[in-house]
Amino acid sequence: MSKPLKADVILSKVKKASRERDWANACALLQQILHQYPNNNRAKKARQELRNSALPDLRSQAQKFLSSNAHAEAERHLMAAFYLSPGNLTLGQQLAHCQLEMGQAPAASDTASKLLETHPNDIKVLNIKARALRELGQPEKSRTHLMAALELSHEDPATLNNLGILERSIGNRTQAAEYYQQALNFEPDNVSLHQNMSQVIDYSSSDDHLNEMLGLLNSVDRKDPKNAPLFFALFKALDEKDRCVEAFEFLEQGNRLAASQANFDFQKHTIPFALTKAIFGTESTFESRTESDFRPIFVTGLPRSGTTLVEGLLSRAHGVQACGELSVVPRAVSRLLRRIMNRPVKSLHAEDIAQLRDELLHGFGRYAVQGTRLVDKMPLNFRWVGYICAALPEARIIHISREPVPVAWSLYKHFFQGAGNDFVHRNEDISRFMLLHSNYLSFWKSFNFDQMIDVNYEDLVARPAPTTKQIALATELKWTEDWLAPERAANQVLTASADQVRRPIYTNSNEGWKRYETHLASLQQSLKSVGLLKT
């Protein structure tokens, strides 16, 4: 471990960063000084000077980054601003919300807790804290904060919506619908609320909400991307009423709107793959021999390939902690790749893996419950298999493969929250991304990592007993008959699969696309054009 830098050395760096108006770095350095030397008067004076000179610029820069969805840079500037003005409610709310958007529930929870010390009755902060706790897998604590917010205002749609999301995540659809309806009573034109409501209604036996949405459709701007959720909700309603032609028209409109907002850039996905191939294709030293009692399980694959089902199966084993989709690995590997990009020789060294391991263990430590096996089912971690194997040799990776057309159709028809699945709105983008996934998988398989097992979704649902026994063996978990009843799992599900996984294992999920077969000729042709579907 390197020795702490002397205060004078760090202060000189603070002055240099300040001269260059690199306020965020100056604040980070000051935090370092005052952490090591809390009574350093020169550092305290420098902080006050920064508060006077840097705060306006930091706030202005943060807003610029927020408006362009550059969350990482926005967070960096907001953290600096909040450090200089820790009692500022607006700054703290923006920082915590930004952290949630980046999948940093532990950091958002910490920020919200600081705010609650001085603003205990702020409804927005209570909701932020509740959302962070929900994403940390603590539904009861989340509910406590939401009920506290509801006590302050029974008419707050955001609180009611968050209560609905929480109830749906633990399988209480009826209660979720009641909360969504209460929220809609106060915001009847909120399209996101209507989309949430659509997820907990069975339209085959009800027309009321469908008629409400059709009425709303007449008053909204059909070309505004912000209204995309309404079109996806209408698709679901009409699909369940077997009005497939109308349903597909709404689905296409919804995806066109969502695509215009997502602004998908395929290159941002291909560059990391090219760099990864260069790194792992050299004589890099990337194997780690260090192991610990921390033995996480990663479930990867394309979104909608069955990762949530496998997480539910694993959660039926004793001592398993299902954590949903965590951002720990992609954030840590992205930082590593940025460092490597700045080197003349793009190679991976033992110290890189040691640092990556430390970052992963620290990140997962914010989620892990002692004595359990943590499961991270972030599907897109298929991109980082080699890094996981090198940094966490005690980890096990389950990759799910599924037939291409059912996956592509499921991607196209679901409305995804956040920006992580920005490729799902156009046939050609779906096909290109699925091919990229296939190339990643082939690349990783060439290394014969013994930590990785490939599971076929079709085998899993057709022959659950032998397939789950294979998974149990690979993950060193004890198999019981409970594995065959994932619908009884108590874990939260915050993804698009929240309702499907509350059902027993079923075998007909691959057939759903055939109801729309005449509409999906272009999708199938796109899959054929990249070699994922036989001609």
Side-chain angles (χ1 to χ4, degrees):
M1 180 180 291
S2 58
K3 294 181 180 179
L5 292 175
K6 291 184 178 180
D8 288 348
V9 175
I10 307 177
L11 276 169
S12 67
K13 293 184 178 182
V14 171
K15 290 181 180 179
K16 182 176 184 294
S18 298
R19 286 195 301 270
E20 296 172 353
R21 303 181 71 80
D22 184 1
W23 306 121
N25 189 36
C27 288
L29 289 164
L30 261 183
Q31 282 182 281
Q32 183 182 346
I33 297 176
L34 289 170
H35 177 71
Q36 293 180 22
Y37 310 100
N39 297 317
N40 188 295
N41 290 324
R42 292 173 61 201
K44 291 178 181 179
K45 182 181 178 182
R47 181 180 178 181
Q48 182 59 49
E49 291 172 352
L50 275 178
R51 184 179 290 120
N52 297 332
S53 59
L55 196 54
D57 272 2
L58 284 168
R59 297 183 70 162
S60 175
Q61 288 295 311
Q63 296 309 310
K64 183 185 74 172
F65 288 122
L66 284 174
S67 64
S68 60
N69 291 321
H71 288 111
E73 280 300 309
E75 182 204 25
R76 196 166 74 92
H77 286 75
L78 285 169
M79 285 182 68
F82 191 55
Y83 171 67
L84 295 177
S85 184
N88 189 300
L89 180 60
T90 301
L91 280 175
Q93 288 174 346
Q94 289 179 330
L95 173 59
H97 188 265
C98 182
Q99 289 165 333
L100 283 174
E101 290 300 303
M102 297 172 67
Q104 297 183 68
S109 178
D110 291 345
T111 301
S113 291
K114 291 177 184 176
L115 287 172
L116 288 172
E117 291 175 4
T118 52
H119 304 88
N121 294 322
D122 187 86
I123 292 177
K124 289 184 179 179
V125 178
L126 286 166
N127 271 272
I128 290 170
K129 180 68 176 180
R131 182 179 162 188
L133 289 167
R134 185 185 75 215
E135 295 184 10
L136 283 165
Q138 301 176 38
E140 292 308 316
K141 291 183 178 180
S142 175
R143 183 183 286 107
T144 297
H145 283 79
L146 289 173
M147 297 310 293
L150 204 61
E151 283 293 319
L152 294 168
S153 173
H154 293 285
E155 300 181 358
D156 182 56
T159 301
L160 293 164
N161 182 45
N162 279 324
L163 280 164
I165 294 171
L166 178 64
E167 295 298 339
R168 183 188 175 218
S169 75
I170 57 177
N172 296 335
R173 287 165 56 94
T174 301
Q175 184 63 64
E178 291 177 5
Y179 282 126
Y180 290 143
Q181 185 56 61
Q182 290 179 55
L184 283 167
N185 290 340
F186 301 113
E187 286 191 350
D189 297 340
N190 187 319
V191 295
S192 293
L193 273 174
H194 281 287
Q195 203 276 330
N196 285 347
M197 174 67 97
S198 73
Q199 300 306 304
V200 294
I201 289 181
D202 179 3
Y203 291 95
S204 62
S205 58
S206 173
D207 286 330
D208 292 346
H209 187 239
L210 171 59
N211 291 333
E212 286 180 31
M213 292 192 294
L214 290 171
L216 178 59
L217 187 65
N218 294 324
S219 63
V220 302
D221 181 356
R222 298 191 183 200
K223 295 182 180 179
D224 187 345
K226 294 179 180 178
N227 290 321
L230 180 61
F231 291 90
F232 282 89
L234 284 164
F235 161 74
K236 180 182 182 293
L238 293 167
D239 173 68
E240 291 181 4
K241 299 189 79 65
D242 209 27
R243 291 160 60 177
C244 295
V245 174
E246 297 169 85
F248 195 78
E249 288 176 358
F250 281 118
L251 181 62
E252 286 192 307
Q253 291 178 67
N255 272 301
R256 280 196 294 269
L257 292 176
S260 67
Q261 192 169 42
N263 196 24
F264 175 65
D265 179 9
F266 187 55
Q267 192 174 31
K268 79 175 185 181
H269 295 284
T270 57
I271 289 175
F273 183 44
L275 181 56
T276 291
K277 287 196 295 183
I279 291 170
F280 281 81
T282 66
E283 295 299 319
S284 300
T285 304
F286 57 83
E287 291 190 2
S288 171
R289 301 289 180 186
T290 307
E291 293 197 25
S292 70
D293 293 333
F294 178 65
R295 297 181 297 146
I297 301 171
F298 297 90
V299 183
T300 72
L302 285 166
R304 309 299 302 164
S305 63
T307 55
T308 304
L309 171 60
V310 172
E311 180 191 39
L313 292 166
L314 290 167
S315 72
R316 299 291 285 156
H318 176 72
V320 168
Q321 176 194 355
C323 291
E325 299 178 1
L326 304 182
S327 64
V328 175
V329 171
R331 283 177 54 78
V333 175
S334 294
R335 285 191 290 267
L336 170 61
L337 293 181
R338 284 195 293 271
R339 292 195 298 270
I340 293 176
M341 283 286 285
N342 292 325
R343 298 174 183 170
V345 178
K346 309 298 187 277
S347 60
L348 191 63
H349 308 300
E351 54 268 29
D352 293 320
I353 293 302
Q355 183 174 346
L356 178 61
R357 178 179 176 81
D358 287 343
E359 289 187 30
L360 293 178
L361 291 177
H362 174 75
F364 286 122
R366 299 298 306 274
Y367 294 88
V369 174
Q370 190 172 6
T372 64
R373 297 282 300 278
L374 178 148
V375 178
D376 176 359
K377 66 155 290 271
M378 174 63 78
L380 300 185
N381 277 342
F382 70 77
R383 299 171 296 180
W384 319 125
V385 167
Y387 302 94
I388 295 171
C389 289
L392 299 173
E394 57 273 81
R396 296 295 178 265
I397 301 170
I398 303 168
H399 178 270
I400 314 300
S401 298
R402 188 178 180 185
E403 290 294 324
V405 175
V407 172
W409 165 239
S410 192
L411 289 169
Y412 188 71
K413 73 174 183 173
H414 277 88
F415 179 75
F416 292 89
Q417 301 285 351
N421 297 311
D422 54 357
F423 61 93
V424 300
H425 305 298
R426 294 190 181 98
N427 294 337
E428 60 270 26
D429 293 337
I430 292 173
S431 298
R432 285 193 298 171
F433 192 86
M434 289 178 66
L435 177 61
L436 179 65
H437 161 259
S438 178
N439 290 338
Y440 260 113
L441 188 59
S442 297
F443 181 68
W444 294 132
K445 283 185 174 180
S446 70
F447 290 90
N448 295 312
F449 294 121
D450 57 10
Q451 295 142 274
M452 180 179 173
I453 176 178
D454 195 46
V455 174
N456 180 269
Y457 174 82
E458 287 73 23
D459 288 342
L460 177 61
V461 297
R463 294 176 291 279
T467 310
T468 53
K469 288 178 181 178
Q470 178 190 13
I471 294 173
L473 181 65
T475 54
E476 300 172 305
L477 292 170
K478 182 180 179 180
W479 187 92
T480 67
E481 293 286 339
D482 290 342
W483 282 63
L484 303 180
E487 72 279 6
R488 297 177 187 169
N491 61 296
Q492 287 187 118
V493 180
L494 296 167
T495 64
S497 304
D499 301 305
Q500 292 96 315
V501 298
R502 303 297 177 191
R503 298 168 53 187
I505 296 173
Y506 56 100
T507 59
N508 61 349
S509 59
N510 272 5
E511 305 300 315
W513 71 274
K514 292 183 179 179
R515 295 174 57 234
Y516 292 89
E517 189 166 7
T518 57
H519 301 277
L520 298 178
S522 62
L523 177 59
Q524 293 183 76
Q525 183 55 47
S526 183
L527 291 170
K528 290 176 182 177
S529 70
V530 297
L532 293 176
L533 198 63
K534 294 180 180 179
T535 56

